[in-house]
Amino acid sequence: MKNKLSWFAVPYVVWMALMVVIPILIMVIYAFTTADFEGTLENFSEMGSYASVFLRSFRLAFVATLVCLLIGYPVSYWMAHEGPGFQRLAMALIMLPMWMNFLLRTYSWMSILENNGLLNQLFRAVGLLDALGVDYIPMIGTPGAVVLGMVYNYLPFMILPIYSVIVKLDHSLVEAARDLGADSAGVFRKVILPLSLPGVLSGVTMVFVPSVSTFAISRLLGGGTQIMLGDLIEQQFLGGAYDPHLGASISMVMMVIVVVCMVVMNRFGEGEGEAVML
């Protein structure tokens, strides 16, 4: 019976081979070859000239992940301690923007942040621009605009994993900690925070990985001045600086870095159970 059921996995294996394994192999071949498909390592040595792009990508992704964590954890904690009706309403409000197209949400922020956008019109109406002696406050094309776009688009990926863990916590552990004399801060530090670490690590991974590889947000809200790794790779395949071999090498290095980050986070997540005993 087991062998018969294993045949149901064949379409999945074929799909994975066609859509995952083969593209990765093609990327590896391009990364280690020249335009004539001769073996070389020059593609990796050329990446040194793009060190600033690597640093900018990881810096902005780290800031966006940190902001999502600072916002997402309190929201998740608050939701988990409210009634079922409020939790359903909050979940609907959090998921509602996700029902709209990703690019549409990003374009909406362009209309808000641009020089004649809604925010600058509001500042002009209340007299703030006149008080500052400027025609507008530049917001589009700044690192802050890129971080704002990433936080807005990826914040639900931080809230939902943390919420799903906190809402399932055994409240008898909290009651036991209070019976042993722990105050609210002690209960949070010794019980709730360690037990919620799996959700935190999952949320950090789900926000950091797409943030470091994004290109639509940085291109639209960065105004072409905040180039990130996703934009750099796109330029090598679709832009004027057509060099798919260099683009493949950058993609390969970025993929390795992301995998290493995920492995490190998983290693940190192995000890949550022991952390409760500290």
Side-chain angles (χ1 to χ4, degrees), residues 150-178:
M150 290 191 290
V151 170
Y152 172 74
N153 282 288
Y154 302 136
L155 182 59
F157 299 127
M158 180 69 72
I159 294 177
L160 297 180
I162 299 176
Y163 163 77
S164 65
V165 171
I166 295 179
V167 77
K168 296 176 183 178
L169 292 182
D170 188 354
H171 291 284
S172 63
L173 297 176
V174 176
E175 296 174 357
R178 292 189 181 278

Tab-separated table of all heavy atoms in Angstrom, residues 150-178:
chain	number	residue	atom	x	y	z
A	150	MET	N	9.270	47.968	2.543
A	150	MET	CA	9.489	46.587	2.966
A	150	MET	C	8.719	46.278	4.239
A	150	MET	O	8.127	45.194	4.372
A	150	MET	CB	10.986	46.333	3.146
A	150	MET	CG	11.762	46.314	1.844
A	150	MET	SD	13.461	45.718	1.987
A	150	MET	CE	14.220	47.069	2.886
A	151	VAL	N	8.705	47.212	5.181
A	151	VAL	CA	7.970	46.989	6.429
A	151	VAL	C	6.483	46.838	6.151
A	151	VAL	O	5.816	45.941	6.688
A	151	VAL	CB	8.226	48.142	7.418
A	151	VAL	CG1	7.278	48.047	8.618
A	151	VAL	CG2	9.673	48.124	7.900
A	152	TYR	N	5.952	47.713	5.304
A	152	TYR	CA	4.527	47.650	4.997
A	152	TYR	C	4.149	46.329	4.335
A	152	TYR	O	3.119	45.727	4.669
A	152	TYR	CB	4.150	48.819	4.092
A	152	TYR	CG	2.730	48.737	3.568
A	152	TYR	CD1	1.649	49.011	4.400
A	152	TYR	CD2	2.471	48.372	2.254
A	152	TYR	CE1	0.347	48.927	3.929
A	152	TYR	CE2	1.176	48.294	1.774
A	152	TYR	CZ	0.120	48.569	2.612
A	152	TYR	OH	-1.173	48.478	2.152
A	153	ASN	N	4.971	45.873	3.391
A	153	ASN	CA	4.624	44.663	2.642
A	153	ASN	C	4.896	43.379	3.411
A	153	ASN	O	4.206	42.370	3.206
A	153	ASN	CB	5.403	44.645	1.319
A	153	ASN	CG	4.800	45.564	0.271
A	153	ASN	OD1	3.750	45.286	-0.285
A	153	ASN	ND2	5.479	46.680	0.008
A	154	TYR	N	5.907	43.378	4.291
A	154	TYR	CA	6.323	42.139	4.938
A	154	TYR	C	5.944	42.051	6.415
A	154	TYR	O	6.203	41.021	7.040
A	154	TYR	CB	7.840	41.960	4.799
A	154	TYR	CG	8.312	41.939	3.367
A	154	TYR	CD1	9.441	42.650	2.965
A	154	TYR	CD2	7.624	41.220	2.392
A	154	TYR	CE1	9.873	42.635	1.647
A	154	TYR	CE2	8.040	41.198	1.079
A	154	TYR	CZ	9.172	41.907	0.709
A	154	TYR	OH	9.588	41.885	-0.602
A	155	LEU	N	5.348	43.098	6.982
A	155	LEU	CA	4.980	43.064	8.392
A	155	LEU	C	4.051	41.894	8.751
A	155	LEU	O	4.226	41.272	9.798
A	155	LEU	CB	4.344	44.390	8.799
A	155	LEU	CG	3.940	44.535	10.273
A	155	LEU	CD1	5.151	44.355	11.183
A	155	LEU	CD2	3.281	45.894	10.511
A	156	PRO	N	3.049	41.560	7.911
A	156	PRO	CA	2.208	40.402	8.252
A	156	PRO	C	2.991	39.107	8.412
A	156	PRO	O	2.604	38.242	9.206
A	156	PRO	CB	1.231	40.312	7.075
A	156	PRO	CG	1.164	41.709	6.548
A	156	PRO	CD	2.539	42.262	6.719
A	157	PHE	N	4.104	38.952	7.691
A	157	PHE	CA	4.907	37.744	7.802
A	157	PHE	C	5.654	37.677	9.134
A	157	PHE	O	6.171	36.611	9.490
A	157	PHE	CB	5.913	37.668	6.653
A	157	PHE	CG	5.274	37.623	5.299
A	157	PHE	CD1	5.632	38.521	4.313
A	157	PHE	CD2	4.290	36.691	5.008
A	157	PHE	CE1	5.037	38.488	3.062
A	157	PHE	CE2	3.685	36.651	3.761
A	157	PHE	CZ	4.057	37.543	2.785
A	158	MET	N	5.738	38.796	9.836
A	158	MET	CA	6.305	38.799	11.182
A	158	MET	C	5.223	38.583	12.224
A	158	MET	O	5.416	37.848	13.206
A	158	MET	CB	7.030	40.119	11.446
A	158	MET	CG	7.667	40.227	12.828
A	158	MET	SD	9.074	39.125	13.055
A	158	MET	CE	10.304	39.946	12.029
A	159	ILE	N	4.071	39.203	12.020
A	159	ILE	CA	3.006	39.138	13.022
A	159	ILE	C	2.414	37.735	13.118
A	159	ILE	O	2.244	37.191	14.224
A	159	ILE	CB	1.902	40.158	12.694
A	159	ILE	CG1	2.436	41.589	12.837
A	159	ILE	CG2	0.691	39.954	13.602
A	159	ILE	CD1	1.429	42.660	12.450
A	160	LEU	N	2.103	37.134	11.987
A	160	LEU	CA	1.358	35.872	12.001
A	160	LEU	C	2.118	34.724	12.668
A	160	LEU	O	1.530	33.998	13.483
A	160	LEU	CB	0.963	35.496	10.568
A	160	LEU	CG	0.009	36.489	9.878
A	160	LEU	CD1	-0.317	36.040	8.471
A	160	LEU	CD2	-1.261	36.660	10.702
A	161	PRO	N	3.410	34.492	12.391
A	161	PRO	CA	4.104	33.391	13.085
A	161	PRO	C	4.200	33.610	14.598
A	161	PRO	O	4.027	32.661	15.369
A	161	PRO	CB	5.500	33.375	12.440
A	161	PRO	CG	5.350	34.082	11.148
A	161	PRO	CD	4.297	35.105	11.371
A	162	ILE	N	4.485	34.841	15.009
A	162	ILE	CA	4.593	35.116	16.450
A	162	ILE	C	3.239	34.950	17.120
A	162	ILE	O	3.137	34.348	18.205
A	162	ILE	CB	5.153	36.528	16.686
A	162	ILE	CG1	6.549	36.655	16.077
A	162	ILE	CG2	5.203	36.850	18.175
A	162	ILE	CD1	7.144	38.042	16.179
A	163	TYR	N	2.197	35.470	16.493
A	163	TYR	CA	0.859	35.333	17.055
A	163	TYR	C	0.451	33.869	17.185
A	163	TYR	O	-0.110	33.458	18.209
A	163	TYR	CB	-0.144	36.086	16.187
A	163	TYR	CG	-1.576	35.689	16.417
A	163	TYR	CD1	-2.272	36.145	17.533
A	163	TYR	CD2	-2.234	34.838	15.530
A	163	TYR	CE1	-3.588	35.775	17.756
A	163	TYR	CE2	-3.549	34.467	15.737
A	163	TYR	CZ	-4.219	34.929	16.847
A	163	TYR	OH	-5.522	34.538	17.064
A	164	SER	N	0.722	33.072	16.151
A	164	SER	CA	0.315	31.665	16.174
A	164	SER	C	1.007	30.899	17.290
A	164	SER	O	0.455	29.921	17.809
A	164	SER	CB	0.615	31.016	14.821
A	164	SER	OG	2.015	30.980	14.574
A	165	VAL	N	2.216	31.324	17.688
A	165	VAL	CA	2.921	30.658	18.778
A	165	VAL	C	2.402	31.142	20.132
A	165	VAL	O	2.128	30.337	21.031
A	165	VAL	CB	4.440	30.900	18.666
A	165	VAL	CG1	5.160	30.392	19.912
A	165	VAL	CG2	4.986	30.201	17.429
A	166	ILE	N	2.255	32.449	20.296
A	166	ILE	CA	1.833	33.000	21.594
A	166	ILE	C	0.415	32.561	21.945
A	166	ILE	O	0.127	32.240	23.103
A	166	ILE	CB	1.934	34.538	21.578
A	166	ILE	CG1	3.392	34.970	21.437
A	166	ILE	CG2	1.335	35.128	22.858
A	166	ILE	CD1	3.591	36.470	21.379
A	167	VAL	N	-0.473	32.523	20.961
A	167	VAL	CA	-1.861	32.186	21.251
A	167	VAL	C	-2.009	30.732	21.688
A	167	VAL	O	-3.007	30.372	22.334
A	167	VAL	CB	-2.743	32.466	20.006
A	167	VAL	CG1	-2.576	31.374	18.964
A	167	VAL	CG2	-4.207	32.635	20.407
A	168	LYS	N	-1.015	29.886	21.383
A	168	LYS	CA	-1.082	28.473	21.751
A	168	LYS	C	-0.289	28.151	23.014
A	168	LYS	O	-0.176	26.979	23.381
A	168	LYS	CB	-0.568	27.608	20.597
A	168	LYS	CG	-1.415	27.707	19.334
A	168	LYS	CD	-0.808	26.911	18.196
A	168	LYS	CE	-1.609	27.062	16.911
A	168	LYS	NZ	-0.979	26.323	15.776
A	169	LEU	N	0.273	29.159	23.671
A	169	LEU	CA	1.058	28.900	24.870
A	169	LEU	C	0.183	28.329	25.987
A	169	LEU	O	-0.990	28.682	26.122
A	169	LEU	CB	1.727	30.191	25.357
A	169	LEU	CG	2.825	30.779	24.463
A	169	LEU	CD1	3.403	32.027	25.110
A	169	LEU	CD2	3.917	29.762	24.201
A	170	ASP	N	0.765	27.459	26.771
A	170	ASP	CA	0.060	26.857	27.907
A	170	ASP	C	-0.015	27.884	29.024
A	170	ASP	O	0.990	28.247	29.642
A	170	ASP	CB	0.820	25.610	28.370
A	170	ASP	CG	0.038	24.832	29.414
A	170	ASP	OD1	-1.032	25.311	29.850
A	170	ASP	OD2	0.500	23.743	29.804
A	171	HIS	N	-1.232	28.385	29.302
A	171	HIS	CA	-1.396	29.423	30.314
A	171	HIS	C	-1.126	28.909	31.731
A	171	HIS	O	-0.934	29.718	32.643
A	171	HIS	CB	-2.812	30.011	30.229
A	171	HIS	CG	-3.052	30.806	28.982
A	171	HIS	ND1	-2.556	32.078	28.792
A	171	HIS	CD2	-3.713	30.486	27.843
A	171	HIS	CE1	-2.918	32.526	27.600
A	171	HIS	NE2	-3.628	31.577	27.001
A	172	SER	N	-1.098	27.609	31.898
A	172	SER	CA	-0.765	27.090	33.223
A	172	SER	C	0.676	27.419	33.594
A	172	SER	O	0.994	27.575	34.782
A	172	SER	CB	-0.985	25.573	33.270
A	172	SER	OG	-0.125	24.908	32.353
A	173	LEU	N	1.561	27.553	32.599
A	173	LEU	CA	2.936	27.941	32.880
A	173	LEU	C	2.999	29.376	33.390
A	173	LEU	O	3.785	29.689	34.301
A	173	LEU	CB	3.791	27.800	31.616
A	173	LEU	CG	3.936	26.386	31.052
A	173	LEU	CD1	4.714	26.408	29.741
A	173	LEU	CD2	4.646	25.481	32.057
A	174	VAL	N	2.181	30.246	32.815
A	174	VAL	CA	2.121	31.636	33.278
A	174	VAL	C	1.578	31.687	34.698
A	174	VAL	O	2.109	32.409	35.562
A	174	VAL	CB	1.254	32.476	32.329
A	174	VAL	CG1	1.103	33.903	32.848
A	174	VAL	CG2	1.846	32.482	30.926
A	175	GLU	N	0.525	30.918	34.975
A	175	GLU	CA	-0.051	30.888	36.315
A	175	GLU	C	0.939	30.339	37.328
A	175	GLU	O	1.042	30.842	38.451
A	175	GLU	CB	-1.327	30.058	36.306
A	175	GLU	CG	-2.439	30.644	35.444
A	175	GLU	CD	-3.633	29.712	35.336
A	175	GLU	OE1	-3.551	28.588	35.902
A	175	GLU	OE2	-4.623	30.089	34.693
A	176	ALA	N	1.704	29.318	36.927
A	176	ALA	CA	2.696	28.749	37.837
A	176	ALA	C	3.788	29.771	38.146
A	176	ALA	O	4.254	29.887	39.289
A	176	ALA	CB	3.319	27.501	37.208
A	177	ALA	N	4.208	30.531	37.136
A	177	ALA	CA	5.229	31.556	37.360
A	177	ALA	C	4.726	32.635	38.299
A	177	ALA	O	5.467	33.108	39.182
A	177	ALA	CB	5.646	32.164	36.022
A	178	ARG	N	3.460	33.015	38.155
A	178	ARG	CA	2.903	34.024	39.061
A	178	ARG	C	2.778	33.468	40.482
A	178	ARG	O	3.015	34.186	41.456
A	178	ARG	CB	1.545	34.486	38.545
A	178	ARG	CG	1.623	35.269	37.241
A	178	ARG	CD	0.294	35.894	36.890
A	178	ARG	NE	0.344	36.618	35.648
A	178	ARG	CZ	0.802	37.862	35.510
A	178	ARG	NH1	1.261	38.508	36.583
A	178	ARG	NH2	0.812	38.455	34.335
